[in-house]
Amino acid sequence: MARSVNRTFAWIGAACVAAAVAGCGSQPRDGNYLLDDIDAQRNLPDAGWEALRSKLPPVPTEKDVLPIEPLSRTDHFRFGVDPRSIEIAPGLIVRYTLRAVSDLGAENISYESVRCGRREWRAVALYRPGAGWQRAVHDDWRDLIPGTVQHVLRNGVFCSGGAPAGQTPADLVYRLRNWERYADGLAGRNSL
């Protein structure tokens, strides 16, 4: 009887291994990034102004944002990202609202995209008091400048390995709340 039980468990174990191996060739589920998926998505274009215009997030106040600092620390600006605005988009893109306040009280609010697969960012829209969201005049993709807040957001918070660092906006909000832990290795480095 013990032999019969051992054979049964051996057969069940072999069936489990076979099922696991068969699953290796299946299609990845949404949000899982394999190297092929990253290469295919890296060149997808970002949505244009007309598509994004209708879904711009609410304008954040100081209480709405989570603070973040550039690596080249400055006393002239305070930065914060509105966690409600974080979105993961096709093309390995993460969008967010950035609030910058100068030491004199001037406020700049921008809705931005960062492309994880290429180490670049762009301003999508700028908020103008009394006029609302406006298309950014310079909305082309730009290379990240080491030490800037966009550099920290792309390389230390929102992206990892050329793709978004999480499958959901909530994953990225967690990383934003703990940004110093994730951005710690960026000092003196241009990228991850």
Side-chain angles (χ1 to χ4, degrees):
M1 175 147 169
R3 238 180 184 171
S4 172
V5 170
N6 285 341
R7 284 185 191 159
T8 302
F9 282 121
W11 183 85
I12 291 172
C16 289
V17 169
V21 169
C24 288
S26 65
Q27 292 292 327
R29 291 175 296 197
D30 289 341
N32 290 340
Y33 293 102
L34 301 174
L35 292 178
D36 291 341
D37 295 335
I38 290 172
D39 288 340
Q41 288 200 31
R42 187 170 301 179
N43 296 315
L44 289 177
D46 194 7
W49 169 249
E50 292 304 320
L52 294 174
R53 169 187 213 162
S54 63
K55 48 185 222 173
L56 290 168
V59 177
T61 63
E62 186 171 358
K63 68 178 177 59
D64 296 325
V65 299
L66 296 173
I68 189 161
E69 296 178 22
L71 292 178
S72 52
R73 307 244 195 257
T74 175
D75 292 332
H76 302 296
F77 282 94
R78 290 185 326 274
F79 295 96
V81 173
D82 185 353
R84 303 170 302 172
S85 69
I86 296 172
E87 173 189 10
I88 299 172
L92 308 173
I93 293 169
V94 177
R95 293 195 194 97
Y96 57 91
T97 302
L98 180 68
R99 183 176 182 269
V101 180
S102 76
D103 57 355
L104 299 175
E107 179 181 64
N108 291 309
I109 299 174
S110 56
Y111 186 58
E112 301 178 355
S113 293
V114 64
R115 187 184 296 272
C116 295
R118 288 201 184 153
R119 296 180 181 95
E120 56 189 9
W121 74 281
R122 75 180 188 115
V124 174
L126 302 173
Y127 175 74
R128 306 264 188 258
W133 288 111
Q134 303 292 310
R135 182 179 184 168
V137 175
H138 302 289
D139 64 352
D140 52 327
W141 288 101
R142 298 174 240 183
D143 291 334
L144 290 168
I145 297 171
T148 62
V149 71
Q150 288 84 6
H151 176 253
V152 172
L153 287 169
R154 190 271 178 200
N155 291 353
V157 179
F158 292 148
C159 305
S160 178
Q167 293 184 1
T168 67
D171 295 336
L172 301 183
V173 169
Y174 175 83
R175 290 176 63 94
L176 179 62
R177 287 186 195 283
N178 298 285
W179 73 270
E180 289 180 279
R181 177 185 335 164
Y182 295 102
D184 190 43
L186 290 179
R189 293 171 54 186
N190 286 343
S191 63
L192 288 177

